Amino acid sequence: MKLLPADTYVDGVRAGDRAVLARAITLVESEHPKHAGLAQEVLTKLLPHTGRSRRVGISGVPGVGKSTFIDALGMHLVGNGHKVAVLAIDPSSSITGGSILGDKTRMYRLARETSAYIRPSPSSGTLGGVARKTRETLLLCEAAGFDVVLVETVGVGQSETVVADLVDFYLVLMLAGAGDELQGIKRGILEVADMVAINKADGDNLPRATRARAEYRAALHLMRPGAEPVVTTCSAMEGTGIDTLWASVVDVVAKREASGELQHRRTQQQVGWMWAMVHDGLRAALRAHPEVAALVPVLEQAVREGRATPTSAALRVLGAFLPQSQA
C-alpha cells in the first residue's frame, strides 16, 4: 500500500474525495505496525471535524432483509438531502480475511447514489462482528461530511450488543410469523435496543406483523418498564413505514441531545474505546511474547489432560509475560 502524507489524507477526506477517503480507511484498517502512527496522526487532525452525524446501528435476525432495509432507508435519507455512509460489517473469509457478503450488490440503488458511501469491512473475528477499526472508519466518514452513519452488523446475538457502544441509536429488525420471535433472539439485544422494527409488513404478512408489534410492545413493557424501545412495522420492499421509522429515530436522538444524554453517552464511548484498544494491544503483545508463545502449547496440553488447572496455567502465562509482577 502506497502511503500519502498525513495532510494529503486530511485535506482529501475533508474535501469529500472518495478515493482519498477509501485510502484513509484502508490505512486505519491496516494491521501493519508502520501504518499505525500515520493513521493516528490523520485521525487526530480530523477529530475536530467529527461528531456531527447521527450514528445508527442496525442488527437483525437472519433473513430479515437488513441490506434491503438499509437500501430503502438510505434512499429515503438521500432523497431528503442527507449524506449517508454505510459501514457494513461482513463475516470474514477464513481464507483471505476479506468481506464475503458483497453489500454493494445487495444495496444496488444506494450504491449508485453520489450522496451515499458504502464500505464493506471484514469482521476479522471480533466480538459481535464489529470490526476493530469500525470506530475510526466512522470518524473518517463524519469528517468527510456524511451526516448519517449506518453501522450494519453481521447478525443478532448476545455479542451484537457491542454495537451499542458505537452508535447513538440501536435498531433491531425482526420478522413476524417466524415462530417464537422473542425466544429466537438474545435478551441482551432487547435490553439495549432503542427500536424494534418488524420488517416485511406487507401483503398477506401485514396482519401477522401488526400482531407481532403488539406482542413485542407487551413483552418489552414487562422487560424494560418505563424504558421500552419504540416498536414499529415497515416494509423495505414497498418502502412503507420508513419515513415514520426515521422520524422516531430523529425524535429520540434529539431528546437525548437536548437533555445532555447524547454528549454523556459519546464521552463514555470514547473512554470505552480507549480501553478496548488497550485490551487489544495487550492481547497482541501477549501472543507475540516469545516465552509465552513457547509456553502456551505445553500449558494447553496440560489443561486438556487434567495435569494443570486453568487457573494455574493462566498464572504461569501471566508470570512469563510479566515476570516482575506478582501474577
Side-chain angles (χ1 to χ4, degrees):
M1 180 173 73
K2 184 178 179 180
L3 300 179
L4 303 173
D7 287 340
T8 302
Y9 285 113
V10 171
D11 293 342
V13 170
R14 291 282 295 121
D17 186 319
R18 288 168 177 264
V20 177
L21 174 60
R23 293 182 69 170
I25 293 174
T26 300
L27 175 67
V28 301
E29 287 181 342
S30 173
E31 297 293 335
H32 198 295
K34 292 183 179 179
H35 297 164
L38 178 60
Q40 292 310 307
E41 181 182 354
V42 170
L43 285 166
T44 300
K45 290 183 176 181
L46 287 172
L47 205 56
H49 308 288
T50 65
R52 299 182 180 93
S53 78
R54 290 191 176 98
R55 306 167 178 175
V56 179
I58 301 174
S59 293
V61 296
V64 76
K66 286 195 299 293
S67 294
T68 303
F69 170 81
I70 293 173
D71 191 54
L73 176 59
M75 292 300 295
H76 170 76
L77 293 169
V78 167
N80 283 277
H82 293 285
K83 292 187 65 179
V84 182
V86 179
L87 308 183
I89 312 302
D90 274 355
S92 295
S93 165
S94 59
I95 299 174
T96 66
S99 304
I100 61 177
L101 292 184
D103 295 272
K104 290 188 177 182
T105 62
R106 293 178 292 128
M107 302 175 194
Y108 64 96
R109 294 182 301 168
L110 196 59
R112 296 197 297 263
E113 288 291 331
T114 57
S115 294
Y117 180 77
I118 301 172
R119 177 73 182 201
S121 180
S123 63
S124 305
T126 54
L127 184 61
V130 180
R132 184 167 61 89
K133 297 297 185 179
T134 302
R135 303 177 181 95
E136 285 84 356
T137 302
L138 185 152
L139 295 176
L140 289 173
C141 289
E142 288 183 337
F146 292 96
D147 63 321
V148 177
V149 180
L150 306 177
V151 182
E152 178 197 9
T153 60
V154 173
V156 67
Q158 186 70 37
S159 61
E160 288 298 297
T161 55
V162 173
V163 77
D165 292 328
L166 295 173
V167 297
D168 305 323
F169 190 96
Y170 187 32
L171 164 64
V172 178
L173 290 172
M174 296 297 294
L175 288 171
D180 296 326
E181 288 91 348
L182 285 172
Q183 297 298 322
I185 63 174
K186 302 293 186 180
R187 180 183 175 92
I189 284 290
L190 295 182
E191 289 175 342
V192 297
D194 296 302
M195 175 183 287
V196 174
I198 296 94
N199 192 22
K200 302 185 180 181
D202 47 48
D204 295 339
N205 199 47
L206 182 56
R208 287 193 292 271
T210 303
R211 287 195 299 272
R213 178 178 61 188
E215 291 168 1
Y216 276 114
R217 282 176 174 168
L220 289 165
H221 178 71
L222 295 174
M223 184 182 297
R224 294 170 58 178
E228 302 100 304
V230 178
V231 182
T232 188
T233 59
C234 64
S235 169
M237 191 65 67
E238 294 184 351
T240 54
I242 300 296
D243 53 349
T244 303
L245 180 152
W246 183 251
S248 295
V249 174
V250 171
D251 181 60
V252 170
V253 175
K255 288 178 179 176
R256 288 176 176 170
E257 190 170 18
S259 69
E261 180 185 349
L262 183 63
Q263 182 57 41
H264 175 73
R265 180 188 183 113
R266 286 191 172 186
T267 300
Q268 292 299 105
Q269 286 175 344
Q270 295 277 26
V271 175
W273 296 354
M274 179 193 77
W275 282 110
M277 296 304 291
V278 170
H279 294 160
D280 284 347
L282 285 173
R283 280 194 295 269
L286 181 66
R287 294 284 185 183
H289 192 280
E291 190 174 342
V292 170
L295 189 60
V296 163
V298 177
L299 291 175
E300 286 183 347
Q301 188 63 28
V303 171
R304 290 191 193 99
E305 295 175 355
R307 293 183 287 106
T309 67
T311 300
S312 65
L315 290 174
R316 286 192 62 188
V317 169
L318 292 174
F321 183 56
L322 302 169
Q324 75 279 12
S325 75
Q326 297 301 311

